[in-house]
Amino acid sequence: QVQLVQSGAEVKKPGASVKVSCKASGYTFYLHWVRQAPGQGLEWMGIINPSGGTPTYAQRFQGRLTMTSDTSTSTVNMELSSLRSEDTAVYYCARDLYGSGSFDIWGQGTMVTVSS
Amino acid sequence: EIVLTQSPGTLSLSPGERATLSCRASQSINNNYLAWYQQKPGQAPRLLIYGVSSRATGIPDRFSGSGSGTDFTLTISRLEPEDFAVYYCQEHGSSSYTFGQGTKLEIK
């Protein structure tokens, strides 16, 4: 059973960047990042193939979001720059259920707080 | 980009009752890439249904999905106490993924 384990909570100041990691215990075709602001719904951010290739980002994050992978450690990283208070959220990585357009395994979530 | 609208916003029912949750898309979803998730407070979402009507691994058969085009439904045949949670629908279009705003299923 694949497990996704994310890095710990972060507190950042406005304008800073944050990097959240997601380590997979087994093979994953694609990994997504999804975020959830406090008391709000789910928002898709982007998708990456951990084995390589160009990530795809949701349009609203273009220019601020960077996803990378490290195949030697089976880790995918999500970096969001120019943080603002509205980026305060729980950030999840989630495995793509291949061929279904859905997410079948989720990380535990990483709380990112942006506050001056 | 497709917009998903879920209704009702909140559904109040009792254990043992039948729950019907709706998800309406702003454009037709022709590839059957429609999924449902359950989320409890402080937890990550859990995949229930994918491909409109296929149950994910380990999901009880009281959960079922149906629909086509722009109208989709998640049905819980007989509510168990652990089913009270927030439910989201989600679609996958061309290079994007969209969630509905959620339906909260609460105990009456």
Side-chain angles (χ1 to χ4, degrees), chain B residues 47-62:
Chain B
L47 178 65
L48 300 174
I49 301 288
Y50 66 92
V52 177
S53 59
S54 298
R55 272 187 299 277
T57 302
I59 301 303
D61 59 8
R62 64 179 181 273

Side-chain angles (χ1 to χ4, degrees), chain A residues 19-24 28-31 33 47-55 57 66-79:
Chain A
K19 180 182 276 191
V20 179
S21 67
C22 172
K23 183 175 175 61
T28 59
F29 289 104
Y30 292 95
L31 274 176
W33 288 92
I47 180 175
I48 184 170
N49 180 339
S51 299
T54 303
Y57 305 134
T66 303
M67 295 181 184
T68 57
S69 66
D70 182 343
T71 55
S72 66
T73 60
S74 301
T75 299
V76 168
N77 301 300
M78 183 281 299
E79 184 169 14

Side-chain angles (χ1 to χ4, degrees), chain B:
Chain B
E1 182 177 301
I2 293 179
V3 175
L4 299 178
T5 302
Q6 294 186 238
S7 61
T10 302
L11 184 58
S12 300
L13 294 170
S14 301
E17 290 193 292
R18 180 185 187 89
T20 303
L21 287 67
S22 173
C23 177
R24 177 162 289 180
S26 59
Q27 304 170 40
S28 183
I29 297 174
N30 298 315
N31 56 15
N32 281 347
Y33 285 164
L34 193 286
W36 291 91
Y37 301 83
Q38 176 193 70
Q39 187 178 33
K40 297 179 180 179
Q43 297 184 16
R46 177 172 73 144
L47 178 65
L48 300 174
I49 301 288
Y50 66 92
V52 177
S53 59
S54 298
R55 272 187 299 277
T57 302
I59 301 303
D61 59 8
R62 64 179 181 273
F63 290 92
S64 63
S66 63
S68 64
T70 60
D71 291 303
F72 299 89
T73 300
L74 174 70
T75 301
I76 311 172
S77 59
R78 284 181 56 87
L79 285 166
E80 298 287 342
E82 62 268 26
D83 297 337
F84 292 91
V86 178
Y87 292 82
Y88 294 95
C89 59
Q90 172 255 319
E91 68 83 34
H92 169 36
S94 174
S95 300
S96 72
Y97 300 74
T98 305
F99 290 90
Q101 83 280 15
T103 289
K104 182 179 181 180
L105 178 56
E106 65 177 24
I107 299 177
K108 188 173 182 180

Side-chain angles (χ1 to χ4, degrees), chain A residues 21 26 42 46 64:
Chain A
S21 67
L42 301 165
R64 284 209 301 146

